[in-house]
Each structure stands twice: as C-alpha cells, then as structure tokens.
Amino acid sequence: MEFSKYKNIQIQKIKSQLSEWRTREEPINHSEVYRFLHSIRSSAGTLQLGGLHQLSGHLLSKLKSIEDKQWEKEDLRNFLVELISLTDEYETFSAKEYGSNKDYRFEENVPLIQIIDDDISMIILLKDVLEENGWMVAASTDPKKAISQYYDLNPDCVIIDIHLPGINGIQLLENIQQHTHQHFVPKIMMSLMNDRDTRMKAYKLGADDFIEKPIDLEELTVRIAHHLKKKELVDKLVLVDELTQIYNRRFLPHVFNRNLRDMKRNKQPFSIAILDLDHFKQINDSLGHINGDKILSAFATFLKSHTRSTDIIFRFGGEEFVIILENTHQLEAAESVSRWLTKFSKTPLQIDNETLFITFSAGIYTIHHQEITLETALMAADQALFTAKANGRARVEFANDTMVDLPKRKLFVSIIDDDPIIRTMLMRILNVMDFSNFDLNLAEFGDGVQFFKSNRLEEKGEHFLIIDGVMPVMDGIEILQQVQKIKHSHNIHVLMLTGRKSEADIEKALALGADDYVTKPFSIKELQARIQRLIKRMK
C-alpha cells in the first residue's frame, strides 16, 4: 500500500494544529497536548514515519512526568521544538525515510497459534515474539472462553499454561483432547513446575511438548516451527475426518475434478449440496462441545446410511457437510436432500438421558459447465444455504446460474477511532478486501458515543468492530462494556487497536470478549490478514 498520500496528510494535520495553537489567545490544556502527541504516535508508526513515532513517544513520556498545567504558547513551543523542526524537515525533504521499516510478511493463511495463560505479561511477550516469526496469535486469559475459541478458530498449535484460574491446564488439555480425538493439533504445556509426575500426566493426556518457565524464547520458536512442519505433513496425508469417519475437505477438490471429467464424457450434470445443522452453536453452548461432537457423529452416520453409494460425503468444517451427488439434476438433488431432512428431523438423538430432535438447512447448486470451479460451486451452494437459513431454517434451497443475484449474509463492519487518518486508511483497506460471501455495510465513527447513537448494532446480521483502545470521549474498554450488555452480542466480533502496551487494558479487552488485539503501529498486511481470518470464521 502506498503511504505517501497519508504521510502528507499526517504532516499537514500536525502543522495545522501547531499553527492553531500559535494563534490562540488562551492557554492550551494539558490533556489536549497529550491527545495530540498520542494521535501522532499511533498514526506515525503505521505510516512508517519512524522518526515522528519515536519522537512523539519520547515527548509523551516527558509529558507524563510534568504536572497537569495550562500551557502558555511560548512554553509549549519550547517543549515541542524538536517536533516542529522534524515536521518542517519532512515537508521539505518528503522523500527521506525516518527510522527502519519492518518487513512484515503476514498472510491470511499463516499458522494460527493459540495461547492460553492467565498471565497477561506472558501473553503480550509471547504474542510479540511469535508474530515476529510471521505466525498469527490468538490469546485468552479465561479457560472457558479459550475452549470456545479453540473450537471456533481451529488453531494449528496450542500453548497452555498448567496453572489457570478455575480449571487447571491439565484439565483443559483433557477437555480439548476429548474433542480432537486423533486430529493432530500440537499442544505445548508450560509451567514453573517441571517435576516428572506433572510432565508424565501432561504427556499421557495428549501433550506433544512440555516447556519449563522461565521460557527460552528462541528454543520455544524452534519447537513450535518443528511441530507446525509435522502438522503440515500429517494434514497432507490424512483425508478422513477423525470424528465422523467421512472424507474431510482436502479430498473434495479431487472428487469435484473427477466429476467434471465424467460430466465432459457423459454429458450429465452433477450437484453439490451444503448441509448445516440448525442452531448448532446454541446446542454446543447448552450441552457442551463433547455432546456436540456426538451429534455431529450421529449426523454423519445418518448420512452414510441414507445416501447412495455414488454420493460422496465430506465434513467441510464445524457443523457443515458437503455432498457431491453424481449424475444428478437440480430437482433430483433437491428431492433427495429434502427426503433426508424429513427423516433426520424425526430421528431421536439420545444425549445425556435427553431426547433431541434436530434439523438442518441445505443449499444445492448443479454444475452444467466444465468451466465452473469448485470455489464458484461452493459459493453458489453456500448462498442457497443462506437463503434457507434466512427463510426459517429446516428447508432446502437451490441456486442456479443467476447465483450472483442471490441474497448474501449481511456484514456490518464498523471502525471506531478518533484519528481520521487511521479511519481513512482502514476504510480504504476494507474496501479492497474480498468480502464476496457477504453483503458488506461499512461505516466509520469518530468515537463510541457516535457509534451507539447510530443504533447500528440493532441491524440484523453479523457485526465486526475495529475499535481504538484509547479515545477521549469513550475509550475501547467502555465500548466493549456496552457491547457486552447487548442481547445478541454473540453475533459481534471485535478487533481492538491499542496504542499502548497496557497490560490492564489488554487483559480487560480479552475478558470483555475482544477476539484479538493489535498494537499500534501495526502492519497493513498484518491487519488485513487478521480481519480476513476472523471474518472467515463467522458462522
């Protein structure tokens, strides 16, 4: 992304404020100077203005040691003399770069590491170190939320501290292991205790590694890299979902391409169906993920016993299943899936001495042309599935070649930041990102009060909030507290931007439901990858 335009805007913004202060008759408030410097530090780092970033940080530190005061113009000018000089120099020699620019190489599909630890200092340290290696990190201090996060995000590696509040790390490991069965997700335990009994218990319950605190960070990164390479190899070899014992999504492209070749030869279309269990998140929340797994396994068994031998079933992810129906026209596919729906909805499921009846929704797309890609077919079937959900669930809908006109899931993305430059940059980033599966509604707000006055969260659909942690009117923590009170807060996903590494603020943000945080200055590629990954996980 080209920063020249935004760098010049930042310089002009600084000079405009300095000019306004020079002509002001009354003294300048101390808090106004603080917000001015904080805004510079937040924006300059992201804009790769290293000199301004460092100098504004230095001035902020000095300002904190000065007693709250009303600044006279001359005193303030003397205090900001280096900043004035630097902005003049940059304006004159705009091609000059200040400071070193770090080359971030974040991609959307880089490995995701989950850290579960109640020590916020350790989380911040590990997150910084691991992200410097190009990995993405999700963190949680609350074991209960960590379990939910594990199921939602499907991490590639998990680091668990043994000493956690309420439930210890060994119990958490056992809970996760019951869910994953033989699905290989490397699990690294860490603890101040390194006695043999603790290590043996962890290994017996499925830990792949054990590291003692204090941690050798270089050694930890090497171990993680080793486990990730091993996972990549295992993933390539495994084509069967360990829980349901049907094919996983990695085998889907092979079967799809085989059907394309058969269609070219015999001139017969084939269909692809996506089936999604209704209200499955609520089932998981009320009955627990272990019982949720039993339901998924039962559903897979049902499908295997009621589909044709030529129908190939895949667990696509979570509670979604994909079925390729060979040599099947659209109406034939719809009739088959509707018949399965009727039978399954009348099939009693025994869970913890409770009898449940569960339904599913389905979307179908029929492939008539050799040029159709798997991605296009899945998108069309998924849009039909969305229509089925929107029309009341427990129904089957099908797409056709006018799939682009089908309704999409509504996604409301809200940027809440008091810095207009950051807001402008984020709007530009989001406008060029791929949200093809959503009907995107994008808006920006200068503070939390404006955001809540808009009643935006009353709109039906998914909500993704990008919130600045430090704002003068209502800060990010206060916004999160308000969001928590909203009835449907489970449909709200939050990425927090923080301009200071305040452990207390980060801890509060995670506890209040923030899905992730990014410390300013942030890399544009990193931010794009985080947003894309979090949004892809939305159900």
Side-chain angles (χ1 to χ4, degrees):
M1 182 176 180
E2 178 55 52
F3 288 106
S4 298
K5 173 184 174 182
Y6 297 103
K7 288 178 180 178
N8 289 330
I9 291 173
Q10 175 69 74
I11 296 301
Q12 293 308 314
K13 178 184 172 184
I14 294 170
K15 292 182 72 65
S16 175
Q17 180 61 76
L18 293 172
S19 175
E20 192 273 327
W21 281 340
R22 279 197 300 270
T23 59
R24 191 185 295 184
E25 294 298 327
E26 66 275 11
I28 296 102
N29 190 279
H30 195 78
S31 61
E32 188 177 352
V33 179
Y34 177 87
R35 288 197 301 271
F36 169 69
L37 291 172
H38 177 269
S39 175
I40 294 173
R41 189 171 188 274
S42 297
S43 302
T46 297
L47 293 170
Q48 299 174 3
L49 294 168
L52 276 176
H53 176 69
Q54 293 171 16
L55 178 58
S56 57
H58 172 67
L59 291 172
L60 273 172
S61 298
K62 288 176 65 176
L63 194 67
K64 289 176 183 177
S65 64
I66 299 173
E67 184 180 348
D68 194 350
K69 59 181 286 186
Q70 296 293 309
W71 289 84
E72 298 296 335
K73 286 188 290 185
E74 193 60 33
D75 290 341
L76 184 58
R77 177 176 174 79
N78 291 335
F79 179 71
L80 299 176
V81 64
E82 291 179 87
L83 181 66
I84 295 168
S85 175
L86 186 57
T87 51
D88 287 341
E89 185 178 350
Y90 182 85
E91 189 175 41
T92 305
F93 304 103
S94 58
K96 186 175 180 179
E97 291 294 335
Y98 297 93
S100 60
N101 294 335
K102 195 171 183 179
D103 183 16
Y104 290 86
R105 289 183 171 84
F106 283 89
E107 300 294 340
E108 176 191 337
N109 294 317
V110 299
L112 175 66
I113 315 294
Q114 182 181 9
I115 302 172
I116 307 170
D117 195 330
D118 65 329
D119 183 348
I120 194 68
S121 298
M122 179 61 71
I123 283 180
I124 292 172
L125 173 62
L126 292 181
K127 186 175 171 72
D128 285 349
V129 170
L130 298 181
E131 290 182 347
E132 283 178 3
N133 279 270
W135 301 320
M136 199 174 292
V137 176
S140 181
T141 57
D142 175 31
K144 185 176 180 181
K145 186 182 178 195
I147 292 172
S148 179
Q149 191 178 50
Y150 175 86
Y151 299 138
D152 291 341
L153 295 180
N154 298 317
D156 299 289
C157 181
V158 185
I159 303 172
I160 307 172
D161 182 42
I162 284 184
H163 300 285
L164 294 169
I167 174 174
N168 66 44
I170 294 292
Q171 292 172 304
L172 185 64
L173 173 65
E174 187 174 16
N175 188 307
I176 289 175
Q177 193 65 9
Q178 285 178 319
H179 173 78
T180 55
H181 303 279
Q182 298 174 27
H183 178 47
F184 181 57
V185 177
K187 304 168 193 71
I188 301 173
M189 305 301 294
M190 57 182 179
S191 174
L192 284 167
M193 296 191 306
N194 193 31
D195 60 279
R196 184 177 184 276
D197 288 345
T198 302
R199 295 198 313 273
M200 289 300 294
K201 192 170 185 179
Y203 286 132
K204 285 178 180 178
L205 287 172
D208 298 282
D209 208 343
F210 192 103
I211 191 162
E212 183 182 9
K213 290 182 177 180
I215 294 173
D216 183 322
L217 295 173
E218 185 177 2
E219 180 183 352
L220 177 64
T221 56
V222 170
R223 289 192 189 190
I224 291 173
H226 171 76
H227 287 300
L228 290 174
K229 284 182 181 179
K230 186 176 178 181
K231 175 176 170 54
E232 184 180 5
L233 178 61
V234 170
D235 286 348
K236 287 179 180 178
L237 295 174
V238 176
L239 297 176
V240 175
D241 178 65
E242 65 287 345
L243 173 65
T244 59
Q245 294 301 299
I246 58 178
Y247 290 117
N248 61 33
R249 64 190 299 162
R250 281 183 288 276
F251 193 51
L252 179 56
H254 171 78
V255 175
F256 183 83
N257 291 330
R258 186 185 70 197
N259 275 267
L260 280 180
R261 291 193 296 270
D262 290 346
M263 182 180 68
K264 184 177 181 180
R265 186 180 66 254
N266 60 29
K267 309 302 181 186
Q268 290 295 313
F270 67 99
S271 296
I272 187 166
I274 300 181
L275 283 59
D276 186 283
L277 291 173
D278 293 326
H279 304 295
F280 191 71
K281 179 174 173 30
Q282 288 90 322
I283 293 171
N284 263 343
D285 290 343
S286 60
L287 300 178
H289 289 88
I290 303 303
N291 286 323
D293 283 353
K294 292 177 182 177
I295 292 170
L296 292 173
S297 184
F299 185 49
T301 300
F302 171 88
L303 291 175
K304 284 187 284 186
S305 63
H306 288 82
T307 52
R308 304 172 302 181
S309 59
T310 54
D311 297 332
I312 310 296
I313 312 166
F314 309 84
R315 185 181 177 198
F316 195 67
E319 66 273 23
E320 280 191 344
F321 293 77
V322 169
I323 302 177
I324 289 186
L325 300 95
E326 185 178 304
N327 297 332
T328 307
H329 290 267
Q330 183 171 273
L331 291 178
E332 294 172 328
E335 288 173 1
S336 295
V337 179
S338 296
R339 187 168 60 251
W340 303 337
L341 172 59
T342 300
K343 288 184 178 180
F344 184 68
S345 64
K346 296 177 180 178
T347 300
L349 302 175
Q350 297 297 325
I351 303 294
D352 284 351
N353 299 319
E354 184 179 350
T355 301
L356 301 178
F357 292 91
I358 298 174
T359 61
F360 66 82
S361 302
I364 298 170
Y365 179 66
T366 300
I367 294 90
H368 297 276
H369 309 293
Q370 187 77 18
E371 295 76 20
I372 296 294
T373 64
L374 174 58
E375 181 181 17
T376 300
L378 286 172
M379 183 177 74
D382 187 59
Q383 294 295 349
L385 170 64
F386 173 72
T387 302
K389 295 278 188 182
N391 288 338
R393 295 183 170 84
R395 60 186 293 125
V396 180
E397 299 283 353
F398 49 80
N400 52 39
D401 289 331
T402 62
M403 61 183 181
V404 292
D405 296 320
L406 289 170
K408 296 183 178 183
R409 288 181 287 172
K410 287 188 177 296
L411 174 61
F412 296 89
V413 179
S414 305
I415 301 166
I416 310 169
D417 196 312
D418 63 324
D419 189 328
I421 296 178
I422 293 294
R423 293 202 307 272
T424 301
M425 286 179 58
L426 290 175
M427 290 288 284
R428 181 179 173 188
I429 291 168
L430 290 161
N431 273 314
V432 299
M433 286 174 61
D434 179 18
F435 295 104
S436 54
N437 291 331
F438 294 96
D439 177 10
L440 180 65
N441 186 304
L442 187 59
E444 58 173 298
F445 303 89
D447 57 58
V449 174
Q450 292 178 18
F451 172 69
F452 287 113
K453 278 185 177 179
S454 73
N455 295 321
R456 188 167 170 81
L457 290 180
E458 294 180 8
E459 299 283 355
K460 291 183 178 180
E462 298 283 352
H463 287 267
F464 188 84
L465 312 183
I466 303 173
I467 306 174
D468 185 22
V470 182
M471 289 181 285
V473 178
M474 177 185 284
D475 67 22
I477 298 300
E478 292 172 314
I479 293 172
L480 275 175
Q481 289 170 334
Q482 288 289 99
V483 168
Q484 282 291 94
K485 297 176 183 177
I486 295 172
K487 184 177 179 181
H488 301 295
S489 61
H490 60 275
N491 289 327
I492 303 171
H493 307 263
V494 177
L495 177 66
M496 180 74 80
L497 307 179
T498 175
R500 60 190 182 200
K501 291 192 178 181
S502 167
E503 294 184 5
D505 285 348
I506 293 172
E507 187 171 19
K508 284 179 185 176
L510 293 175
L512 287 169
D515 296 276
D516 199 359
Y517 73 88
V518 177
T519 303
K520 294 180 181 179
F522 51 79
S523 156
I524 297 301
K525 286 186 178 180
E526 173 194 6
L527 191 65
Q528 284 178 314
R530 288 181 183 283
I531 293 170
Q532 203 78 56
R533 183 146 195 164
L534 287 171
I535 288 176
K536 277 182 73 174
R537 302 287 176 169
M538 289 182 177
K539 288 290 183 183

